[in-house]
Amino acid sequence: MTEAPALPRPEWRVARGLTDYAAAVAFMEARAEAIARGEAGELIWLVEHPPLYTAGTSAKPADLIDPDRFPVFESKRGGQYTYHGPGQRVVYVMLDVGKRGRDVRAFVKSLENWVIAALGEFNVKGELRAGRVGVWVTRGDKPLGPDGAPAEDKIAAIGVRLRRWVSFHGLSINVDPDLEHFSGIVPCGITGHGVTSLVDLGLPVAMEDLDVALERTFDAAF
């Protein structure tokens, strides 16, 4: 049996400055459609946004605690409320899942593994938790929870959408955002846990450092 030919590596693009969210979504949708038509190649697009909240398809109105704080955008990605802002790397993945096995669960697992591998470049142990989306880190420097379990903070969020077997939206990793900005929502609908960043963990990581780690670990994840 002949193996399917390897796909060429996706285009890798890093946006400078802050990218308007609505313009980013319009670009992603157009690019995903072009990929589905065979008129464009896959793209990994790394951006930062101005402070804003996004509501995924499962967002609950009660989880928007401070609706007047930042602009709120309805998003077609899966998941609930998330925050985007300066100091957070947002990675938009426009990949042809149809040519990558047509397995949505496996695709999401690849995204999770990619985040965990990139964090590992900084000796940060990212972990998954049943019933809690995203990537988490155990905080041995924080008090134990009421149940005696170690504190855990979220460091990365994942939310994608597929159209004609092409993905868009993607993931976000906290490098050094203002963590207080997350207080205006219940992040991803999860209570009882905090949010952290690479800098909050005591690591002097710049955005460019994370970008290098993401590019270096991409091929092994996909």
Side-chain angles (χ1 to χ4, degrees):
M1 183 175 179
T2 304
E3 292 185 6
L7 293 173
R9 203 164 197 264
E11 177 187 353
W12 196 273
R13 188 180 300 182
V14 181
R16 303 303 175 188
L18 300 180
T19 301
D20 178 79
Y21 182 77
V25 172
F27 173 84
M28 278 192 291
E29 292 188 342
R31 180 67 176 241
E33 182 62 30
I35 293 169
R37 293 196 303 264
E39 298 172 358
E42 297 178 313
L43 173 65
I44 304 294
W45 188 27
L46 284 67
V47 310
E48 284 180 87
H49 288 304
L52 58 93
Y53 297 131
T54 69
T57 54
S58 303
K60 301 173 183 176
D63 287 345
L64 181 58
I65 298 169
D66 191 353
D68 300 321
R69 187 171 190 180
F70 298 127
V72 180
F73 294 88
E74 298 290 328
S75 173
K76 297 175 183 177
R77 61 160 175 80
Q80 303 189 37
Y81 280 104
T82 60
Y83 165 77
H84 293 318
Q88 180 192 71
R89 176 53 86 208
V90 178
V91 185
Y92 289 133
V93 289
M94 286 150 273
L95 298 177
D96 192 334
V97 181
K99 292 181 179 178
R100 292 177 176 271
R102 286 185 174 246
D103 187 330
V104 178
R105 286 179 181 269
F107 176 66
V108 172
K109 185 68 175 175
S110 294
L111 290 173
E112 293 170 340
N113 289 340
W114 184 27
V115 172
I116 289 170
L119 293 174
E121 295 281 296
F122 307 102
N123 294 316
V124 173
K125 186 180 180 183
E127 298 179 293
L128 307 177
R129 291 291 180 263
R132 284 193 258 138
V133 296
V135 178
W136 299 78
V137 293
T138 300
R139 299 299 302 269
D141 57 329
K142 287 189 172 184
L144 299 177
D147 59 354
E152 294 180 335
D153 288 346
K154 188 172 187 176
I155 195 167
I158 296 173
V160 294
R161 179 176 172 84
L162 268 65
R163 182 180 295 162
R164 296 177 61 188
W165 286 103
V166 176
S167 68
F168 54 107
H169 295 284
L171 57 95
S172 60
I173 301 175
N174 297 330
V175 177
D176 190 21
D178 186 336
L179 296 178
E180 204 278 327
H181 288 177
F182 286 88
S183 66
I185 57 172
V186 178
C188 299
I190 298 169
T191 58
H193 299 280
V195 180
T196 190
S197 68
L198 289 167
V199 171
D200 182 54
L201 293 172
L203 301 168
V205 177
M207 193 68 70
E208 294 77 12
D209 300 325
L210 177 62
D211 293 348
V212 170
L214 285 165
E215 188 163 12
R216 190 159 49 211
T217 55
F218 177 83
D219 291 330
F222 290 92

